[in-house]
Amino acid sequence: MKRLFSILAITGLMTFGNIQAQESTDTAGDTLSTTTEVVDGTTDDAVATDDAVTSDDESVEEVVATTEDAATFTQKMKQRFIEGGPGFMGIVLICLILGLAIAIERIIYLNLSTTNSKKLIADVEDALKSGGVEAAKEVCRNTSGPVASIFYQGLDRQAHGMDSAEKAVVAYGGVQMGQLEKNVSWISLFIALAPMLGFMGTVIGMIEAFDQIQSAGSMEPSLVAGGIKVALLTTVFGLIVAIILQIFYNYIIAKIDSIVNDMEDASISLIDILSDYSK
């Protein structure tokens, strides 16, 4: 469910961006139509005097400036994406969507896995003193997160001796670490794959540009400029995708390291508590 929610969220954001770009385009078109009518009216009046001609020139400059300002960043990115071609650009976009979906799902999971270990340790210790192992296990059952799960396994093996409890804590700690790192390798794959696809699109575009030169028999800049621009756009978008996913990847790795360190410290505290309880 979390992964489905993440994918739906990304799809919604993309849809919102397209709608916003369309609205901006419509607004720009309305602005251009209105200002064009104003320019036509002022042009008819400008025939009378030189001052009117000067005012008309200023109005034309204002129209051009308004039209340029109406072009938003989203529109420019969309235009560049279309210019890059649907082939490689579509694959790069898929890498971004899948990478972000996995990253958001991991971030949600890791945030839900964060536990107040100090409070849990204090609650378990108090439960052991007041109600024994079963009361401490009940505290762990009512607490979410990998630390509570590790505590429960250690308490469950406490009756078999301290060595058994310690082995259970270590073994189940490895299991929980694997759960934290689940699907993270896919993000690193998309980080590497996106710029590689971009470079491949650039190389293919350059080959096509040289094919055009060979067919024409002459070296004309206008003949190959378009192909070279398209080739470079694939690289740019591939690098943008890799940078975005790299930021999420580093955050996730740092979050995992923080939780793992917390698990190790809490496990040591649990072993000390069980050792004192067994005496």
Side-chain angles (χ1 to χ4, degrees), residues 43-96:
T43 302
D44 294 335
D45 297 334
V47 178
T49 59
D50 293 339
D51 294 337
V53 173
T54 303
S55 177
D56 180 47
D57 293 337
E58 293 177 354
S59 299
V60 172
E61 292 178 358
E62 291 178 358
V63 170
V64 175
T66 304
T67 305
E68 291 178 352
D69 293 338
T72 62
F73 177 78
T74 305
Q75 288 177 298
K76 292 180 181 179
M77 292 295 292
K78 184 178 179 180
Q79 180 183 358
R80 294 298 185 184
F81 181 84
I82 295 173
E83 290 177 354
F88 284 95
M89 298 295 280
I91 301 175
V92 172
L93 179 61
I94 291 174
C95 291
L96 176 62

mmCIF file of all heavy atoms in Angstrom, residues 43-96:
data_model
loop_
_atom_site.group_PDB
_atom_site.id
_atom_site.type_symbol
_atom_site.label_atom_id
_atom_site.label_comp_id
_atom_site.label_asym_id
_atom_site.label_seq_id
_atom_site.Cartn_x
_atom_site.Cartn_y
_atom_site.Cartn_z
ATOM 1 N N THR A 43 -1.461 51.400 -33.580
ATOM 2 C CA THR A 43 -0.776 51.579 -34.870
ATOM 3 C C THR A 43 -1.599 52.466 -35.798
ATOM 4 O O THR A 43 -1.064 53.304 -36.543
ATOM 5 C CB THR A 43 -0.541 50.208 -35.512
ATOM 6 O OG1 THR A 43 0.226 49.411 -34.614
ATOM 7 C CG2 THR A 43 0.214 50.347 -36.822
ATOM 8 N N ASP A 44 -2.948 52.274 -35.769
ATOM 9 C CA ASP A 44 -3.815 53.124 -36.601
ATOM 10 C C ASP A 44 -3.736 54.593 -36.194
ATOM 11 O O ASP A 44 -3.757 55.502 -37.038
ATOM 12 C CB ASP A 44 -5.261 52.630 -36.486
ATOM 13 C CG ASP A 44 -5.414 51.239 -37.096
ATOM 14 O OD1 ASP A 44 -4.589 50.893 -37.984
ATOM 15 O OD2 ASP A 44 -6.336 50.508 -36.676
ATOM 16 N N ASP A 45 -3.670 54.825 -34.877
ATOM 17 C CA ASP A 45 -3.596 56.214 -34.393
ATOM 18 C C ASP A 45 -2.213 56.815 -34.587
ATOM 19 O O ASP A 45 -2.037 58.025 -34.556
ATOM 20 C CB ASP A 45 -3.978 56.266 -32.916
ATOM 21 C CG ASP A 45 -5.417 55.822 -32.688
ATOM 22 O OD1 ASP A 45 -6.240 55.957 -33.626
ATOM 23 O OD2 ASP A 45 -5.704 55.335 -31.565
ATOM 24 N N ALA A 46 -1.193 55.906 -34.736
ATOM 25 C CA ALA A 46 0.178 56.406 -34.787
ATOM 26 C C ALA A 46 0.510 57.091 -36.092
ATOM 27 O O ALA A 46 1.563 57.726 -36.216
ATOM 28 C CB ALA A 46 1.154 55.253 -34.563
ATOM 29 N N VAL A 47 -0.331 56.939 -37.107
ATOM 30 C CA VAL A 47 -0.037 57.546 -38.407
ATOM 31 C C VAL A 47 -0.069 59.064 -38.304
ATOM 32 O O VAL A 47 0.598 59.765 -39.055
ATOM 33 C CB VAL A 47 -1.064 57.042 -39.459
ATOM 34 C CG1 VAL A 47 -0.838 57.685 -40.811
ATOM 35 C CG2 VAL A 47 -0.996 55.537 -39.549
ATOM 36 N N ALA A 48 -0.812 59.611 -37.371
ATOM 37 C CA ALA A 48 -1.005 61.060 -37.280
ATOM 38 C C ALA A 48 0.259 61.785 -36.851
ATOM 39 O O ALA A 48 0.654 62.765 -37.449
ATOM 40 C CB ALA A 48 -2.159 61.392 -36.345
ATOM 41 N N THR A 49 0.921 61.319 -35.810
ATOM 42 C CA THR A 49 2.036 62.076 -35.236
ATOM 43 C C THR A 49 3.213 61.178 -34.984
ATOM 44 O O THR A 49 3.076 59.948 -34.867
ATOM 45 C CB THR A 49 1.619 62.745 -33.914
ATOM 46 O OG1 THR A 49 1.195 61.722 -33.016
ATOM 47 C CG2 THR A 49 0.477 63.724 -34.137
ATOM 48 N N ASP A 50 4.415 61.777 -34.863
ATOM 49 C CA ASP A 50 5.626 61.028 -34.542
ATOM 50 C C ASP A 50 5.598 60.533 -33.111
ATOM 51 O O ASP A 50 6.171 59.489 -32.793
ATOM 52 C CB ASP A 50 6.870 61.911 -34.750
ATOM 53 C CG ASP A 50 7.063 62.251 -36.226
ATOM 54 O OD1 ASP A 50 6.513 61.491 -37.068
ATOM 55 O OD2 ASP A 50 7.727 63.256 -36.506
ATOM 56 N N ASP A 51 4.951 61.264 -32.215
ATOM 57 C CA ASP A 51 4.869 60.840 -30.817
ATOM 58 C C ASP A 51 4.093 59.539 -30.696
ATOM 59 O O ASP A 51 4.420 58.673 -29.884
ATOM 60 C CB ASP A 51 4.198 61.932 -29.969
ATOM 61 C CG ASP A 51 5.042 63.190 -29.886
ATOM 62 O OD1 ASP A 51 6.278 63.072 -30.093
ATOM 63 O OD2 ASP A 51 4.472 64.263 -29.617
ATOM 64 N N ALA A 52 3.045 59.398 -31.499
ATOM 65 C CA ALA A 52 2.248 58.171 -31.449
ATOM 66 C C ALA A 52 3.066 56.985 -31.931
ATOM 67 O O ALA A 52 2.945 55.869 -31.428
ATOM 68 C CB ALA A 52 0.985 58.319 -32.294
ATOM 69 N N VAL A 53 3.948 57.201 -32.927
ATOM 70 C CA VAL A 53 4.803 56.122 -33.426
ATOM 71 C C VAL A 53 5.764 55.662 -32.340
ATOM 72 O O VAL A 53 5.987 54.462 -32.143
ATOM 73 C CB VAL A 53 5.581 56.596 -34.671
ATOM 74 C CG1 VAL A 53 6.601 55.546 -35.096
ATOM 75 C CG2 VAL A 53 4.611 56.863 -35.812
ATOM 76 N N THR A 54 6.306 56.596 -31.609
ATOM 77 C CA THR A 54 7.216 56.237 -30.514
ATOM 78 C C THR A 54 6.489 55.427 -29.450
ATOM 79 O O THR A 54 7.000 54.444 -28.911
ATOM 80 C CB THR A 54 7.803 57.518 -29.893
ATOM 81 O OG1 THR A 54 8.454 58.272 -30.908
ATOM 82 C CG2 THR A 54 8.790 57.167 -28.794
ATOM 83 N N SER A 55 5.255 55.864 -29.128
ATOM 84 C CA SER A 55 4.466 55.126 -28.138
ATOM 85 C C SER A 55 4.146 53.723 -28.621
ATOM 86 O O SER A 55 4.132 52.766 -27.833
ATOM 87 C CB SER A 55 3.170 55.891 -27.856
ATOM 88 O OG SER A 55 2.364 55.162 -26.960
ATOM 89 N N ASP A 56 3.905 53.578 -29.921
ATOM 90 C CA ASP A 56 3.611 52.252 -30.483
ATOM 91 C C ASP A 56 4.806 51.328 -30.357
ATOM 92 O O ASP A 56 4.667 50.139 -30.028
ATOM 93 C CB ASP A 56 3.214 52.417 -31.958
ATOM 94 C CG ASP A 56 2.884 51.090 -32.612
ATOM 95 O OD1 ASP A 56 2.131 50.309 -32.002
ATOM 96 O OD2 ASP A 56 3.397 50.844 -33.720
ATOM 97 N N ASP A 57 6.014 51.839 -30.605
ATOM 98 C CA ASP A 57 7.229 51.034 -30.462
ATOM 99 C C ASP A 57 7.407 50.551 -29.031
ATOM 100 O O ASP A 57 7.790 49.399 -28.785
ATOM 101 C CB ASP A 57 8.462 51.832 -30.901
ATOM 102 C CG ASP A 57 8.431 52.117 -32.407
ATOM 103 O OD1 ASP A 57 7.737 51.356 -33.124
ATOM 104 O OD2 ASP A 57 9.080 53.091 -32.823
ATOM 105 N N GLU A 58 7.118 51.430 -28.091
ATOM 106 C CA GLU A 58 7.240 51.032 -26.696
ATOM 107 C C GLU A 58 6.219 49.951 -26.344
ATOM 108 O O GLU A 58 6.501 49.031 -25.576
ATOM 109 C CB GLU A 58 7.044 52.254 -25.790
ATOM 110 C CG GLU A 58 8.160 53.283 -25.923
ATOM 111 C CD GLU A 58 7.897 54.507 -25.077
ATOM 112 O OE1 GLU A 58 6.786 54.586 -24.490
ATOM 113 O OE2 GLU A 58 8.781 55.391 -24.987
ATOM 114 N N SER A 59 5.022 50.040 -26.917
ATOM 115 C CA SER A 59 3.994 49.033 -26.651
ATOM 116 C C SER A 59 4.417 47.672 -27.188
ATOM 117 O O SER A 59 4.182 46.643 -26.553
ATOM 118 C CB SER A 59 2.662 49.454 -27.285
ATOM 119 O OG SER A 59 2.207 50.671 -26.749
ATOM 120 N N VAL A 60 5.039 47.669 -28.388
ATOM 121 C CA VAL A 60 5.511 46.405 -28.967
ATOM 122 C C VAL A 60 6.569 45.771 -28.074
ATOM 123 O O VAL A 60 6.570 44.551 -27.844
ATOM 124 C CB VAL A 60 6.063 46.636 -30.388
ATOM 125 C CG1 VAL A 60 6.720 45.372 -30.921
ATOM 126 C CG2 VAL A 60 4.949 47.075 -31.315
ATOM 127 N N GLU A 61 7.482 46.570 -27.533
ATOM 128 C CA GLU A 61 8.513 46.043 -26.644
ATOM 129 C C GLU A 61 7.893 45.458 -25.375
ATOM 130 O O GLU A 61 8.339 44.426 -24.868
ATOM 131 C CB GLU A 61 9.498 47.164 -26.281
ATOM 132 C CG GLU A 61 10.342 47.622 -27.474
ATOM 133 C CD GLU A 61 11.273 48.761 -27.105
ATOM 134 O OE1 GLU A 61 11.209 49.208 -25.926
ATOM 135 O OE2 GLU A 61 12.065 49.188 -27.959
ATOM 136 N N GLU A 62 6.859 46.131 -24.859
ATOM 137 C CA GLU A 62 6.189 45.603 -23.669
ATOM 138 C C GLU A 62 5.501 44.276 -23.957
ATOM 139 O O GLU A 62 5.475 43.379 -23.119
ATOM 140 C CB GLU A 62 5.162 46.626 -23.156
ATOM 141 C CG GLU A 62 5.806 47.886 -22.578
ATOM 142 C CD GLU A 62 4.762 48.894 -22.138
ATOM 143 O OE1 GLU A 62 3.563 48.599 -22.324
ATOM 144 O OE2 GLU A 62 5.149 49.948 -21.612
ATOM 145 N N VAL A 63 4.935 44.133 -25.175
ATOM 146 C CA VAL A 63 4.293 42.879 -25.560
ATOM 147 C C VAL A 63 5.304 41.746 -25.569
ATOM 148 O O VAL A 63 5.060 40.655 -25.055
ATOM 149 C CB VAL A 63 3.615 43.021 -26.939
ATOM 150 C CG1 VAL A 63 3.149 41.666 -27.452
ATOM 151 C CG2 VAL A 63 2.443 43.973 -26.854
ATOM 152 N N VAL A 64 6.465 41.991 -26.158
ATOM 153 C CA VAL A 64 7.499 40.970 -26.233
ATOM 154 C C VAL A 64 7.977 40.574 -24.838
ATOM 155 O O VAL A 64 8.140 39.394 -24.525
ATOM 156 C CB VAL A 64 8.686 41.464 -27.089
ATOM 157 C CG1 VAL A 64 9.824 40.453 -27.061
ATOM 158 C CG2 VAL A 64 8.232 41.715 -28.519
ATOM 159 N N ALA A 65 8.170 41.561 -23.967
ATOM 160 C CA ALA A 65 8.631 41.272 -22.609
ATOM 161 C C ALA A 65 7.589 40.478 -21.835
ATOM 162 O O ALA A 65 7.916 39.534 -21.107
ATOM 163 C CB ALA A 65 8.951 42.582 -21.878
ATOM 164 N N THR A 66 6.300 40.851 -22.003
ATOM 165 C CA THR A 66 5.236 40.130 -21.294
ATOM 166 C C THR A 66 5.152 38.680 -21.753
ATOM 167 O O THR A 66 4.971 37.766 -20.950
ATOM 168 C CB THR A 66 3.883 40.832 -21.523
ATOM 169 O OG1 THR A 66 3.987 42.192 -21.105
ATOM 170 C CG2 THR A 66 2.784 40.133 -20.748
ATOM 171 N N THR A 67 5.298 38.461 -23.064
ATOM 172 C CA THR A 67 5.224 37.099 -23.605
ATOM 173 C C THR A 67 6.370 36.244 -23.096
ATOM 174 O O THR A 67 6.195 35.070 -22.762
ATOM 175 C CB THR A 67 5.243 37.143 -25.140
ATOM 176 O OG1 THR A 67 4.181 37.993 -25.601
ATOM 177 C CG2 THR A 67 5.047 35.748 -25.723
ATOM 178 N N GLU A 68 7.556 36.815 -23.024
ATOM 179 C CA GLU A 68 8.711 36.070 -22.536
ATOM 180 C C GLU A 68 8.562 35.729 -21.055
ATOM 181 O O GLU A 68 8.921 34.636 -20.612
ATOM 182 C CB GLU A 68 9.989 36.873 -22.770
ATOM 183 C CG GLU A 68 10.361 37.006 -24.249
ATOM 184 C CD GLU A 68 11.598 37.849 -24.450
ATOM 185 O OE1 GLU A 68 12.068 38.442 -23.458
ATOM 186 O OE2 GLU A 68 12.090 37.925 -25.590
ATOM 187 N N ASP A 69 8.027 36.669 -20.270
ATOM 188 C CA ASP A 69 7.849 36.411 -18.837
ATOM 189 C C ASP A 69 6.809 35.327 -18.582
ATOM 190 O O ASP A 69 6.849 34.646 -17.553
ATOM 191 C CB ASP A 69 7.444 37.708 -18.118
ATOM 192 C CG ASP A 69 8.570 38.742 -18.127
ATOM 193 O OD1 ASP A 69 9.735 38.315 -18.300
ATOM 194 O OD2 ASP A 69 8.281 39.942 -17.973
ATOM 195 N N ALA A 70 5.847 35.192 -19.522
ATOM 196 C CA ALA A 70 4.775 34.213 -19.322
ATOM 197 C C ALA A 70 5.270 32.773 -19.460
ATOM 198 O O ALA A 70 4.624 31.847 -19.002
ATOM 199 C CB ALA A 70 3.638 34.468 -20.317
ATOM 200 N N ALA A 71 6.398 32.600 -20.147
ATOM 201 C CA ALA A 71 6.953 31.251 -20.312
ATOM 202 C C ALA A 71 7.573 30.803 -18.995
ATOM 203 O O ALA A 71 8.596 31.309 -18.566
ATOM 204 C CB ALA A 71 8.005 31.262 -21.425
ATOM 205 N N THR A 72 6.960 29.864 -18.330
ATOM 206 C CA THR A 72 7.432 29.396 -17.027
ATOM 207 C C THR A 72 8.537 28.368 -17.182
ATOM 208 O O THR A 72 8.810 27.860 -18.269
ATOM 209 C CB THR A 72 6.263 28.785 -16.241
ATOM 210 O OG1 THR A 72 5.766 27.648 -16.969
ATOM 211 C CG2 THR A 72 5.139 29.791 -16.064
ATOM 212 N N PHE A 73 9.153 28.059 -16.045
ATOM 213 C CA PHE A 73 10.211 27.046 -16.035
ATOM 214 C C PHE A 73 9.669 25.683 -16.446
ATOM 215 O O PHE A 73 10.332 24.920 -17.158
ATOM 216 C CB PHE A 73 10.826 26.974 -14.641
ATOM 217 C CG PHE A 73 11.873 25.912 -14.488
ATOM 218 C CD1 PHE A 73 13.155 26.095 -14.980
ATOM 219 C CD2 PHE A 73 11.570 24.717 -13.844
ATOM 220 C CE1 PHE A 73 14.116 25.113 -14.848
ATOM 221 C CE2 PHE A 73 12.523 23.742 -13.697
ATOM 222 C CZ PHE A 73 13.803 23.935 -14.198
ATOM 223 N N THR A 74 8.438 25.374 -16.020
ATOM 224 C CA THR A 74 7.833 24.095 -16.385
ATOM 225 C C THR A 74 7.635 23.983 -17.879
ATOM 226 O O THR A 74 7.884 22.922 -18.468
ATOM 227 C CB THR A 74 6.481 23.936 -15.666
ATOM 228 O OG1 THR A 74 6.666 24.096 -14.266
ATOM 229 C CG2 THR A 74 5.877 22.576 -15.948
ATOM 230 N N GLN A 75 7.211 25.051 -18.506
ATOM 231 C CA GLN A 75 7.017 25.038 -19.955
ATOM 232 C C GLN A 75 8.338 24.815 -20.688
ATOM 233 O O GLN A 75 8.395 24.064 -21.666
ATOM 234 C CB GLN A 75 6.391 26.355 -20.411
ATOM 235 C CG GLN A 75 4.922 26.511 -20.028
ATOM 236 C CD GLN A 75 4.395 27.867 -20.437
ATOM 237 O OE1 GLN A 75 4.879 28.903 -19.968
ATOM 238 N NE2 GLN A 75 3.399 27.878 -21.305
ATOM 239 N N LYS A 76 9.381 25.481 -20.213
ATOM 240 C CA LYS A 76 10.679 25.329 -20.869
ATOM 241 C C LYS A 76 11.192 23.908 -20.735
ATOM 242 O O LYS A 76 11.718 23.327 -21.691
ATOM 243 C CB LYS A 76 11.673 26.315 -20.265
ATOM 244 C CG LYS A 76 11.373 27.774 -20.584
ATOM 245 C CD LYS A 76 12.398 28.712 -19.960
ATOM 246 C CE LYS A 76 12.066 30.171 -20.271
ATOM 247 N NZ LYS A 76 13.043 31.112 -19.644
ATOM 248 N N MET A 77 11.037 23.329 -19.542
ATOM 249 C CA MET A 77 11.481 21.959 -19.341
ATOM 250 C C MET A 77 10.679 20.996 -20.207
ATOM 251 O O MET A 77 11.227 20.042 -20.787
ATOM 252 C CB MET A 77 11.346 21.581 -17.861
ATOM 253 C CG MET A 77 12.294 22.325 -16.942
ATOM 254 S SD MET A 77 14.025 21.935 -17.237
ATOM 255 C CE MET A 77 14.074 20.233 -16.687
ATOM 256 N N LYS A 78 9.379 21.233 -20.306
ATOM 257 C CA LYS A 78 8.534 20.386 -21.148
ATOM 258 C C LYS A 78 8.931 20.494 -22.610
ATOM 259 O O LYS A 78 8.990 19.482 -23.332
ATOM 260 C CB LYS A 78 7.071 20.790 -20.954
ATOM 261 C CG LYS A 78 6.089 19.911 -21.713
ATOM 262 C CD LYS A 78 4.665 20.342 -21.428
ATOM 263 C CE LYS A 78 3.671 19.475 -22.203
ATOM 264 N NZ LYS A 78 2.268 19.880 -21.941
ATOM 265 N N GLN A 79 9.227 21.719 -23.057
ATOM 266 C CA GLN A 79 9.639 21.915 -24.434
ATOM 267 C C GLN A 79 10.963 21.216 -24.724
ATOM 268 O O GLN A 79 11.112 20.541 -25.747
ATOM 269 C CB GLN A 79 9.767 23.412 -24.725
ATOM 270 C CG GLN A 79 10.203 23.721 -26.156
ATOM 271 C CD GLN A 79 10.386 25.210 -26.394
ATOM 272 O OE1 GLN A 79 10.151 26.012 -25.491
ATOM 273 N NE2 GLN A 79 10.811 25.569 -27.586
ATOM 274 N N ARG A 80 11.915 21.343 -23.801
ATOM 275 C CA ARG A 80 13.200 20.679 -23.988
ATOM 276 C C ARG A 80 13.051 19.160 -23.987
ATOM 277 O O ARG A 80 13.724 18.452 -24.733
ATOM 278 C CB ARG A 80 14.161 21.099 -22.871
ATOM 279 C CG ARG A 80 14.546 22.567 -22.892
ATOM 280 C CD ARG A 80 15.284 22.944 -24.153
ATOM 281 N NE ARG A 80 15.750 24.326 -24.106
ATOM 282 C CZ ARG A 80 16.368 24.941 -25.114
ATOM 283 N NH1 ARG A 80 16.584 24.272 -26.241
ATOM 284 N NH2 ARG A 80 16.760 26.182 -25.001
ATOM 285 N N PHE A 81 12.151 18.680 -23.126
ATOM 286 C CA PHE A 81 11.924 17.231 -23.069
ATOM 287 C C PHE A 81 11.372 16.728 -24.399
ATOM 288 O O PHE A 81 11.795 15.673 -24.900
ATOM 289 C CB PHE A 81 10.948 16.912 -21.938
ATOM 290 C CG PHE A 81 10.658 15.452 -21.769
ATOM 291 C CD1 PHE A 81 11.506 14.650 -21.021
ATOM 292 C CD2 PHE A 81 9.550 14.874 -22.378
ATOM 293 C CE1 PHE A 81 11.250 13.295 -20.873
ATOM 294 C CE2 PHE A 81 9.288 13.532 -22.235
ATOM 295 C CZ PHE A 81 10.133 12.740 -21.481
ATOM 296 N N ILE A 82 10.433 17.466 -24.987
ATOM 297 C CA ILE A 82 9.871 17.059 -26.276
ATOM 298 C C ILE A 82 10.923 17.136 -27.371
ATOM 299 O O ILE A 82 10.995 16.261 -28.248
ATOM 300 C CB ILE A 82 8.654 17.946 -26.621
ATOM 301 C CG1 ILE A 82 7.529 17.713 -25.598
ATOM 302 C CG2 ILE A 82 8.151 17.657 -28.038
ATOM 303 C CD1 ILE A 82 6.352 18.652 -25.761
ATOM 304 N N GLU A 83 11.768 18.156 -27.325
ATOM 305 C CA GLU A 83 12.822 18.285 -28.328
ATOM 306 C C GLU A 83 13.829 17.142 -28.245
ATOM 307 O O GLU A 83 14.430 16.766 -29.245
ATOM 308 C CB GLU A 83 13.546 19.626 -28.141
ATOM 309 C CG GLU A 83 12.701 20.843 -28.517
ATOM 310 C CD GLU A 83 13.442 22.144 -28.237
ATOM 311 O OE1 GLU A 83 14.554 22.072 -27.651
ATOM 312 O OE2 GLU A 83 12.921 23.211 -28.601
ATOM 313 N N GLY A 84 14.004 16.593 -27.042
ATOM 314 C CA GLY A 84 14.964 15.504 -26.885
ATOM 315 C C GLY A 84 14.537 14.200 -27.515
ATOM 316 O O GLY A 84 15.354 13.287 -27.662
ATOM 317 N N GLY A 85 13.260 14.079 -27.882
ATOM 318 C CA GLY A 85 12.789 12.857 -28.516
ATOM 319 C C GLY A 85 12.158 11.907 -27.521
ATOM 320 O O GLY A 85 12.605 11.813 -26.369
ATOM 321 N N PRO A 86 11.145 11.167 -27.936
ATOM 322 C CA PRO A 86 10.426 10.293 -27.002
ATOM 323 C C PRO A 86 11.169 9.023 -26.638
ATOM 324 O O PRO A 86 10.817 8.371 -25.656
ATOM 325 C CB PRO A 86 9.138 9.967 -27.768
ATOM 326 C CG PRO A 86 9.537 10.049 -29.212
ATOM 327 C CD PRO A 86 10.560 11.128 -29.296
ATOM 328 N N GLY A 87 12.162 8.651 -27.401
ATOM 329 C CA GLY A 87 12.863 7.391 -27.169
ATOM 330 C C GLY A 87 13.616 7.359 -25.857
ATOM 331 O O GLY A 87 13.146 6.811 -24.850
ATOM 332 N N PHE A 88 14.791 7.936 -25.859
ATOM 333 C CA PHE A 88 15.627 7.910 -24.662
ATOM 334 C C PHE A 88 15.067 8.800 -23.554
ATOM 335 O O PHE A 88 15.209 8.483 -22.377
ATOM 336 C CB PHE A 88 17.054 8.345 -25.008
ATOM 337 C CG PHE A 88 17.846 7.278 -25.708
ATOM 338 C CD1 PHE A 88 17.917 7.241 -27.089
ATOM 339 C CD2 PHE A 88 18.513 6.303 -24.992
ATOM 340 C CE1 PHE A 88 18.631 6.263 -27.738
ATOM 341 C CE2 PHE A 88 19.235 5.309 -25.638
ATOM 342 C CZ PHE A 88 19.296 5.291 -27.016
ATOM 343 N N MET A 89 14.414 9.891 -23.928
ATOM 344 C CA MET A 89 13.874 10.774 -22.901
ATOM 345 C C MET A 89 12.770 10.072 -22.109
ATOM 346 O O MET A 89 12.644 10.259 -20.895
ATOM 347 C CB MET A 89 13.320 12.048 -23.550
ATOM 348 C CG MET A 89 14.373 12.855 -24.275
ATOM 349 S SD MET A 89 15.620 13.533 -23.173
ATOM 350 C CE MET A 89 14.765 14.937 -22.532
ATOM 351 N N GLY A 90 11.963 9.255 -22.777
ATOM 352 C CA GLY A 90 10.935 8.498 -22.081
ATOM 353 C C GLY A 90 11.521 7.495 -21.103
ATOM 354 O O GLY A 90 11.021 7.323 -19.981
ATOM 355 N N ILE A 91 12.606 6.827 -21.498
ATOM 356 C CA ILE A 91 13.257 5.860 -20.608
ATOM 357 C C ILE A 91 13.864 6.562 -19.402
ATOM 358 O O ILE A 91 13.771 6.075 -18.268
ATOM 359 C CB ILE A 91 14.325 5.066 -21.378
ATOM 360 C CG1 ILE A 91 13.690 4.323 -22.551
ATOM 361 C CG2 ILE A 91 15.037 4.087 -20.454
ATOM 362 C CD1 ILE A 91 14.680 3.608 -23.433
ATOM 363 N N VAL A 92 14.466 7.720 -19.634
ATOM 364 C CA VAL A 92 15.036 8.497 -18.523
ATOM 365 C C VAL A 92 13.939 8.940 -17.568
ATOM 366 O O VAL A 92 14.106 8.912 -16.331
ATOM 367 C CB VAL A 92 15.818 9.713 -19.077
ATOM 368 C CG1 VAL A 92 16.235 10.632 -17.942
ATOM 369 C CG2 VAL A 92 17.046 9.251 -19.850
ATOM 370 N N LEU A 93 12.788 9.339 -18.105
ATOM 371 C CA LEU A 93 11.664 9.742 -17.258
ATOM 372 C C LEU A 93 11.152 8.566 -16.428
ATOM 373 O O LEU A 93 10.808 8.730 -15.247
ATOM 374 C CB LEU A 93 10.535 10.298 -18.128
ATOM 375 C CG LEU A 93 9.274 10.752 -17.382
ATOM 376 C CD1 LEU A 93 9.605 11.875 -16.402
ATOM 377 C CD2 LEU A 93 8.207 11.208 -18.365
ATOM 378 N N ILE A 94 11.114 7.375 -17.020
ATOM 379 C CA ILE A 94 10.700 6.184 -16.276
ATOM 380 C C ILE A 94 11.662 5.919 -15.122
ATOM 381 O O ILE A 94 11.247 5.552 -14.008
ATOM 382 C CB ILE A 94 10.608 4.970 -17.218
ATOM 383 C CG1 ILE A 94 9.430 5.147 -18.192
ATOM 384 C CG2 ILE A 94 10.438 3.671 -16.429
ATOM 385 C CD1 ILE A 94 9.351 4.073 -19.241
ATOM 386 N N CYS A 95 12.962 6.091 -15.355
ATOM 387 C CA CYS A 95 13.951 5.927 -14.281
ATOM 388 C C CYS A 95 13.677 6.899 -13.140
ATOM 389 O O CYS A 95 13.775 6.533 -11.959
ATOM 390 C CB CYS A 95 15.366 6.137 -14.831
ATOM 391 S SG CYS A 95 15.944 4.839 -15.947
ATOM 392 N N LEU A 96 13.322 8.137 -13.485
ATOM 393 C CA LEU A 96 13.030 9.135 -12.452
ATOM 394 C C LEU A 96 11.792 8.752 -11.653
ATOM 395 O O LEU A 96 11.792 8.817 -10.413
ATOM 396 C CB LEU A 96 12.848 10.505 -13.099
ATOM 397 C CG LEU A 96 12.429 11.650 -12.157
ATOM 398 C CD1 LEU A 96 13.490 11.886 -11.099
ATOM 399 C CD2 LEU A 96 12.156 12.919 -12.942
#
